[in-house]
Amino acid sequence: MTDSFLEPLGQVRTKIVATLGPASRSPEMIRKLINAGVDVFRLNFSHGTHDDHTESLTNIRRISDEMQRQVCVLQDLCGPKIRLGDLPGGAVECDFGAEFRLSSEQKGADDPHELSCTYKDLPDDLEVGQAVLFADGTVGMEVTAKGEGWAQLKVTLPGRIRSHQGINVPSAALSVEALTEKDLADLDWTATHSVGYVGLSFVRRPEDVTRLRHELEKRGCRARIVAKIEKPQAVANLEAIVDVTDAVMVARGDLGVEIDVEKVPTVQKQIIDACRKARVPVITATQMLNSMETSSRPTRAEASDVFNAVLDGTDAVMLSGETAIGEYPVAAVSTMSKICREAEHLIFSGNPGGIPFTCCAVRGGKKDGETGAVARVSQVLPVTDAIVDAASTVSRRLKAALMVVATHSGRTALAVSKHRNASPTLALTDDVEVARAMSLYWGVTPLHIPELFQTGQVLAFADEWCRTHDLINSGDHLVIVRGVIPNNPNHNALLVHEVE
């Protein structure tokens, strides 16, 4: 791999999520993508078979182990995405004013004006006068009449629709559940395949998240939950959803169809700010470098989009078609990495010690180190929060070369991450699944250490590892923070070390 596609270890704080697909699922490509800067691979369960995803997961695990890198996997559930049925010839032109009939069952297979969809109750849920959007909002129709099992539609925004494209009804309160039968079957796959995060599509209320958590716990899964915000109802219930999830995705694709497009930037900033205050990781997604599906360079607008998302405070940025089906997947990752690094340079050039940051009120919850579900990983004890706050202040004042966190659950590392210190963070944990999950945390380089010992031994290990990777020099300061470690009474410790 050329140096131009090699991300320097620990030097880019914003994390990169890349979607695997036909253009990127080979072992060779996975290795190149990790080198270019991928921290989390997204497996899109809207496409592919369980065997396909098992093969991808196996390759990710094998290659990341060989590279001695902790790489996380996000399983993205399909959710109740409403799609068109089969169309004659695969596509139909929708002229302005043309009329179509949407039925709960496929009728008139040879009639291009007879439409069907995957959600059989949709015609009954529609109301006269409502707008129905197709193909990511590029084609629009209005409901002019309806009866039992059918709705008459008139084209208001002409264009072409294709078989199995998405349908959105922004103003409708549909009765569809957030978890479909397909999603539940996909969670059965999760039960036997360890993933770091499960993405829940089309969240509308906090109960959608708690139901998924129940389904995960019922199957013995430790995966954390990413609530995808792509419905206006989710925006209205944002604080309540953030309060019960482990991470959030600003899913701008369907969000930009469900709400007016000019409102998307405002909502994006609102979501990122809510996650920042709640100490919840947030991913900004969809069309970030969309032109790189077919071009080796992004547009200036796309570069600015990624740059500004970093300035807004996103923890991660995501590539979809750019890496799944694009012609330049490695270049797309490398380009995104360079843009993120440039944005971070701007942030820290104005704030050399980092960005002083105060989280919202600390929530109650399990102690760092207790066993059980990983729910609400953002919860930390007040004493841990105070130690992290003090450590961040020390790091900024000393301009520390590195912060080292020893943690069992990852909570302490997440708390440090949300302080947005200029000093990179090395997080050590004895739990391999926690190490992988921490790959999503801004500024954190996770390491799996089977046994975490006394603070002095943590320091010795960190010192040797950082010297091996050329991350520290004589005279540098290291700030060491210990969270709660099981069966070890020495916890919530803060130590400053000067490298000899």
Side-chain angles (χ1 to χ4, degrees):
M1 159 164 272
T2 63
D3 290 342
S4 62
F5 290 154
L6 185 63
E7 181 182 89
L9 181 65
Q11 297 304 305
V12 180
R13 278 80 162 178
T14 306
K15 299 308 180 82
I16 295 176
V17 183
T19 304
L20 281 188
S24 55
R25 66 164 58 107
S26 71
E28 180 185 8
M29 285 300 300
I30 290 172
R31 187 181 299 274
K32 289 180 178 179
L33 292 172
I34 294 174
N35 271 323
V38 171
D39 303 285
V40 180
F41 281 110
R42 171 176 172 252
L43 303 181
N44 186 358
F45 272 64
S46 295
H47 305 284
T49 66
H50 284 182
D51 287 343
D52 292 334
H53 297 308
T54 298
E55 181 181 0
S56 294
L57 179 63
T58 300
N59 286 331
I60 292 167
R61 292 282 177 258
R62 177 179 60 80
I63 293 166
S64 60
D65 287 345
E66 290 173 359
M67 299 175 69
Q68 297 183 330
R69 295 278 294 273
Q70 295 300 330
V71 177
C72 194
V73 172
L74 163 62
Q75 175 192 8
D76 200 345
L77 299 177
C78 180
K81 178 73 172 180
I82 303 173
R83 296 183 182 276
L84 281 165
D86 292 322
L87 297 173
V92 173
E93 292 292 339
C94 302
D95 298 324
F96 183 82
E99 295 193 346
F100 289 79
R101 184 184 180 94
L102 178 67
S103 303
S104 56
E105 301 292 340
Q106 181 82 46
K107 296 180 180 179
D110 296 328
D111 186 348
H113 290 266
E114 288 287 342
L115 306 178
S116 65
C117 67
T118 55
Y119 176 45
K120 303 305 181 186
D121 293 329
L122 180 60
D124 294 324
D125 285 348
L126 294 175
E127 299 292 339
V128 173
Q130 279 184 329
V132 181
L133 303 179
F134 301 83
D136 291 332
T138 58
V139 176
M141 302 187 193
E142 181 180 311
V143 181
T144 57
K146 61 170 294 184
E148 185 175 350
W150 63 270
Q152 194 74 17
L153 308 175
K154 186 176 182 179
V155 177
T156 56
L157 179 64
R160 172 180 289 191
I161 56 176
R162 299 195 305 270
S163 297
H164 312 303
Q165 283 188 313
I167 303 175
N168 294 81
V169 190
S171 60
L174 303 180
S175 57
V176 63
E177 293 292 330
L179 282 174
T180 66
E181 290 301 319
K182 179 186 183 316
D183 294 333
L184 295 175
D186 290 339
L187 290 178
D188 292 337
W189 177 92
T190 316
T192 55
H193 298 82
S194 176
V195 298
Y197 294 88
V198 174
L200 180 61
S201 299
F202 301 102
V203 174
R204 287 170 292 177
R205 53 190 182 271
E207 290 79 9
D208 296 334
V209 179
T210 54
R211 187 195 171 195
L212 172 57
R213 197 176 301 284
H214 171 73
E215 293 293 340
L216 288 169
E217 291 175 350
K218 186 168 69 174
R219 291 166 172 78
C221 301
R222 296 181 59 198
R224 293 162 166 81
I225 295 173
V226 177
K228 297 170 64 178
I229 308 299
E230 49 196 336
K231 301 283 288 184
Q233 297 93 328
V235 177
N237 294 317
L238 180 61
E239 289 189 8
I241 291 170
V242 169
D243 197 50
V244 297
T245 191
D246 301 302
V248 165
M249 181 187 294
V250 188
R252 303 182 305 179
D254 279 282
L255 184 63
V257 177
E258 293 280 343
I259 66 174
D260 294 334
V261 69
E262 67 270 16
K263 295 180 181 179
V264 173
T266 300
V267 172
Q268 174 177 317
K269 291 177 184 293
Q270 177 187 350
I271 296 169
I272 292 174
D273 186 61
C275 292
R276 176 185 65 82
K277 291 176 180 176
R279 200 191 282 122
V280 169
V282 56
I283 305 164
T284 303
T286 314
Q287 295 183 332
M288 301 216 77
L289 298 177
N290 192 57
S291 68
M292 291 196 74
E293 286 190 18
T294 56
S295 172
S296 61
R297 290 174 60 84
T299 66
R300 277 76 168 171
E302 289 168 341
S304 295
D305 182 31
V306 175
F307 193 98
N308 285 316
V310 176
L311 296 187
D312 285 343
T314 194
D315 293 89
V317 285
M318 193 175 94
L319 296 165
S320 300
E322 301 95 329
T323 53
I325 59 174
E327 297 176 17
Y328 304 95
V330 179
V333 172
S334 180
T335 299
M336 182 167 271
S337 173
K338 292 174 182 177
I339 296 169
C340 292
R341 191 177 188 186
E342 190 68 21
E344 292 161 9
H345 176 73
L346 176 64
I347 292 171
F348 295 125
S349 64
N351 300 275
I355 308 170
F357 171 74
T358 302
C359 294
C360 64
V362 180
R363 304 165 181 172
K366 294 182 178 182
K367 294 181 179 180
D368 188 6
E370 286 187 7
T371 57
V374 296
R376 308 308 308 126
V377 75
S378 63
Q379 298 167 341
V380 296
L381 293 173
V383 64
T384 302
D385 204 55
I387 289 291
V388 167
D389 186 57
S392 297
T393 300
V394 170
S395 173
R396 287 194 293 269
R397 290 188 178 181
L398 295 179
K399 298 182 181 179
L402 195 72
M403 294 187 71
V404 180
V405 178
T407 179
H408 176 68
S409 70
R411 291 185 175 93
T412 304
L414 179 56
V416 170
S417 166
K418 283 298 183 178
H419 275 265
R420 290 300 196 265
N421 300 299
S423 306
T425 300
L426 183 66
L428 314 179
T429 181
D430 57 348
D431 189 321
V432 67
E433 291 191 32
V434 170
R436 292 167 181 160
M438 288 193 296
S439 297
L440 185 61
Y441 297 174
W442 187 97
V444 172
T445 300
L447 289 178
H448 173 228
I449 311 300
E451 294 185 14
L452 287 177
F453 302 102
Q454 303 297 325
T455 303
Q457 292 168 300
V458 169
L459 171 59
F461 175 88
D463 188 282
E464 179 181 356
W465 191 89
C466 291
R467 288 179 188 274
T468 301
H469 292 83
D470 296 323
L471 295 178
I472 56 175
N473 298 299
S474 296
D476 285 343
H477 289 99
L478 301 185
V479 178
I480 295 89
V481 181
R482 284 184 64 98
V484 177
I485 305 299
N487 304 317
N488 191 327
N490 298 322
H491 60 271
N492 293 314
L494 168 60
L495 176 69
V496 179
H497 169 68
E498 183 173 334
V499 179
E500 297 179 355

